[in-house]
Amino acid sequence: MSALTGPAEIAGRTTPSRVLFGPHETNLGRGRMLSDRHVAYYAARAAGGAGIVVTETASVHDSDWPYERAPLAALCGPGWSSIADSCRPHGTLVLAGLGHAGSQGSSAFGQSALWAPSRVPDVASRELPMELEDAEIHALVEGFRESAKLAAESGMDGVELDAGQYSLLRQFASALTNQRGDTYGGDKSMLLREVLGAVREAVGDRIIGLRLSCDELAPWAGLTPEQAAVLAGDLAASVDYLVPVRGSAMSGSATRPDLHTEPGFNLDLCRRITEAVEGRTLTVLQGSVVDPAQAQQALDDGVASLVEMTRAQIADPDLVAKVRAGAAPRPCVLSNQKCRVRDNRNPIVACIGEPRSGHETEDPALDGADEPREVLVIGGGPAGLEAARVLAMRGHRVELRERSERLGGMLRVAAEVGGRARLAKLADWLEGEVRRLGVHVSTGTEVTDVPGGAIVATGSVAGPRNYAVHGGTVVDVVDLLNGVELPDGPVVVADPVGDFVGVGVAELLAAGGKPTAIISQDQVIGTQLALTGDLADANTRLQQAGVTLAKRSLLREVHAGHVVLEDVFTAERRELPCAVLVHCGHRLPDTLPGAVRAGDCVAPRTVHEAILDGRRAALAVVRERALV
Ligand SMILES: Cc1cc2nc3c(=O)[nH]c(=O)nc-3n(C[C@H](O)[C@H](O)[C@H](O)COP(=O)(O)O)c2cc1C
Ligand code: SF4
């Protein structure tokens, strides 16, 4: 049996564990170079037991500049060296991610035409790319060769090539995008084989991994699992490992789905490719693998030899070390809220449960011990739990008081929203850690007088309603999720925020058989879900569930039996049948005076800010002590 946390042999090298930290966009770069932030980010995962770290995919040719801080391989030598040096002491193998995004890139930064096998506009950007001629194809192959050579010279253990969802190599391999009349069109894997040959010459016996789209979810023309099994069999002898992935330009959200898709969704696909390669190369299971038990089971079942757990190690850099020690890693709940950085704000990678991820160079490490003191934490939501956890870790005697009967606060309520049950795992973990660390917890106790030095994390209350209520029933979303019974008849969800709450509640109600409508002032329901990649899927789910979408509408009046809406452009008024209105508006702080405050009681935001605030409040208390 292969232990997830045990060593593995690959191309004559030994990994300390079978867990891979896959290539992903971080926005940690300085210009197009890898930065000291990258070094600290990868070193933390190596120290935590990662078997293989694949660095952020670097463009092999300057025709590719897919996002502002996308690394350019030619500039990555010093960064790769530093990353290899910082990871090597932990035994972790470090591979350079190499690729070219082709027509799925952006011309905004490079200011030149996008490269593609054929003139097929990209589904997302709609930009028409240029068709590569032989000289450019040659330059591309040489770009892969030179980049791989530089990676090897920089001390990397090898490279991982990208023929996955966002790649020019996939665009050549797929009939969706390759409509050429020449030999590269007749033999769609020819470019891939040429690149693999050139890279092998460049890296010698170092590792070559290949990320390969094995199901483009476009069976009318794209790569299907059947075709991919044949392709994988053909390529097996040329690579040291294969990572079968799913998706293409046709299926953006399949690339890195959120918590609406089951963990380990590629198990069957990976099993099929493993069978096809017949032991001639290793395979890596990929696809929302966040549960170590599921990863171990996949190894036991022979699905793969290694497992990619990328988001799981963003959520907890010490995942492998903790599993080895029999401890519970901080769970990745697949929220996609902070680690998905490809949005218009260009944020740095982080995690809702582990805000230090991506911020290793500036945020202090939490370990270390202080002279013990007694600290009272008021409020047992994520902010209070995190404050208590950090203080207890550092040796303080902590008392945590929560006025309700359970810990977890709004995070547990959030887990009741349709499709978001996984959020409860983070609440469970925080609660488990607080109890394990010996925090003295009392629930059902209200604190009114706040002693000096206490941390206040008392959460939020329902916010104002900027519409007139002349009759009917209005229920706050939190009361609904806490189990308040609704009267019979149509439900209308008032959602001026446009995030996961209104959409998820509408889904929940519709799934329960209620005729449901959702009101938004925007042109699209759930606009904020663009940030997590769920916007299109969420609208599909709402439509499939039969939810009425009242867009471009302001809620003006609530009456018994109906609500009055006003069109945002024409001011025209209309009625919508309504037996009960569910209010999902912004919330307001529920606070106590004085002391150090954290989380929603400062300003109601998300779990990420609550945990970050809780951690900062704990460290502020620690620092104050150090000054005394
Ligand atoms: C109904 C509801 C659903 C929520 N869903 C989420 C969510 O999916 N993700 C998130 O980060 N925050 C969500 N929030 C906000 C967090 O629950 C809230 O900011 C956090 O629990 C505050 O913690 P504190 O009370 O310890 O300050 C939701 C809030 C409500 C009222
Ligand atoms: S932000 Fe969400 S999806 Fe991303 S690593 Fe953290 S828990 Fe996982």
Side-chain angles (χ1 to χ4, degrees), residues 273-346:
I273 300 301
T274 301
E275 285 165 8
V277 300
E278 295 175 325
R280 284 172 293 141
T281 189
L282 303 180
T283 52
V284 182
L285 173 66
Q286 176 272 2
S288 296
V289 186
V290 286
D291 176 4
Q294 183 181 52
Q296 181 63 63
Q297 190 64 52
L299 294 179
D300 295 349
D301 293 346
V303 170
S305 304
L306 299 153
V307 185
E308 175 176 339
M309 300 182 77
T310 299
R311 278 176 288 178
Q313 291 177 94
I314 298 176
D316 197 332
D318 296 322
L319 176 124
V320 175
K322 285 185 181 168
V323 174
R324 229 176 242 150
R330 184 186 296 99
C332 166
V333 293
L334 295 172
S335 70
N336 273 357
Q337 283 179 227
K338 285 287 155 184
C339 57
R340 192 178 181 281
V341 298
R342 201 176 266 210
D343 73 45
N344 52 14
R345 304 164 304 170
N346 249 3

Side-chain angles (χ1 to χ4, degrees), residues 3-8 10 14-24 40-55 83-84 86-95 157 306-314 316-324:
L4 183 69
T5 57
I10 176 163
T14 306
T15 67
S17 74
R18 289 175 183 267
V19 180
L20 180 138
F21 192 51
H24 55 283
Y41 182 65
Y42 295 126
R45 275 72 202 172
I52 298 178
V53 162
V54 186
T55 55
I83 293 167
S86 66
C87 294
R88 186 162 296 117
H90 307 287
T92 304
L93 301 183
V94 190
L95 310 182
D157 293 288
L306 299 153
V307 185
E308 175 176 339
M309 300 182 77
T310 299
R311 278 176 288 178
Q313 291 177 94
I314 298 176
D316 197 332
D318 296 322
L319 176 124
V320 175
K322 285 185 181 168
V323 174
R324 229 176 242 150

Side-chain angles (χ1 to χ4, degrees), residues 250-515:
M250 306 299 295
S251 45
S253 63
T255 304
R256 193 212 245 198
D258 72 2
L259 71 185
H260 292 89
T261 300
E262 278 304 300
F265 59 84
N266 272 342
L267 273 163
D268 288 345
L269 182 66
C270 187
R271 194 192 309 269
R272 186 164 193 163
I273 300 301
T274 301
E275 285 165 8
V277 300
E278 295 175 325
R280 284 172 293 141
T281 189
L282 303 180
T283 52
V284 182
L285 173 66
Q286 176 272 2
S288 296
V289 186
V290 286
D291 176 4
Q294 183 181 52
Q296 181 63 63
Q297 190 64 52
L299 294 179
D300 295 349
D301 293 346
V303 170
S305 304
L306 299 153
V307 185
E308 175 176 339
M309 300 182 77
T310 299
R311 278 176 288 178
Q313 291 177 94
I314 298 176
D316 197 332
D318 296 322
L319 176 124
V320 175
K322 285 185 181 168
V323 174
R324 229 176 242 150
R330 184 186 296 99
C332 166
V333 293
L334 295 172
S335 70
N336 273 357
Q337 283 179 227
K338 285 287 155 184
C339 57
R340 192 178 181 281
V341 298
R342 201 176 266 210
D343 73 45
N344 52 14
R345 304 164 304 170
N346 249 3
I348 284 172
V349 67
C351 171
I352 59 167
E354 173 47 304
R356 189 163 184 260
S357 281
H359 296 259
E360 286 83 0
T361 54
E362 65 260 36
D363 284 4
L366 300 179
D367 45 8
D370 307 308
E371 196 184 316
R373 62 183 285 191
E374 290 182 2
V375 186
L376 173 64
V377 178
I378 306 166
L385 285 169
E386 177 68 1
R389 184 184 79 85
V390 171
L391 287 165
M393 263 176 61
R394 297 188 59 102
H396 298 284
R397 290 183 294 277
V398 188
E399 185 174 353
L400 176 67
R401 292 218 205 143
E402 162 59 37
R403 83 187 129 196
S404 77
E405 294 301 330
R406 64 173 184 179
L407 296 180
M410 210 54 82
L411 186 48
R412 293 222 184 268
V413 176
E416 298 295 327
V417 171
R420 303 192 78 77
R422 285 192 71 81
L423 290 177
K425 290 186 184 295
L426 184 53
D428 291 343
W429 184 82
L430 286 165
E431 178 171 352
E433 286 299 285
V434 158
R435 294 192 188 280
R436 183 180 69 80
L437 291 163
V439 171
H440 184 262
V441 175
S442 49
T443 53
T445 55
E446 179 119 30
V447 177
T448 42
D449 286 334
V450 182
I455 293 175
V456 173
T458 40
S460 63
V461 290
R465 296 168 182 178
N466 52 357
Y467 45 85
V469 180
H470 299 293
T473 308
V474 179
V475 173
D476 185 72
V477 62
V478 173
D479 296 331
L480 171 79
L481 296 171
N482 278 331
V484 161
E485 287 286 320
L486 298 187
D488 287 340
V491 187
V492 175
V493 177
D495 179 22
V497 181
D499 67 0
F500 17 71
V501 181
V503 168
V505 164
E507 286 185 67
L508 185 72
L509 291 164
K514 295 266 183 201

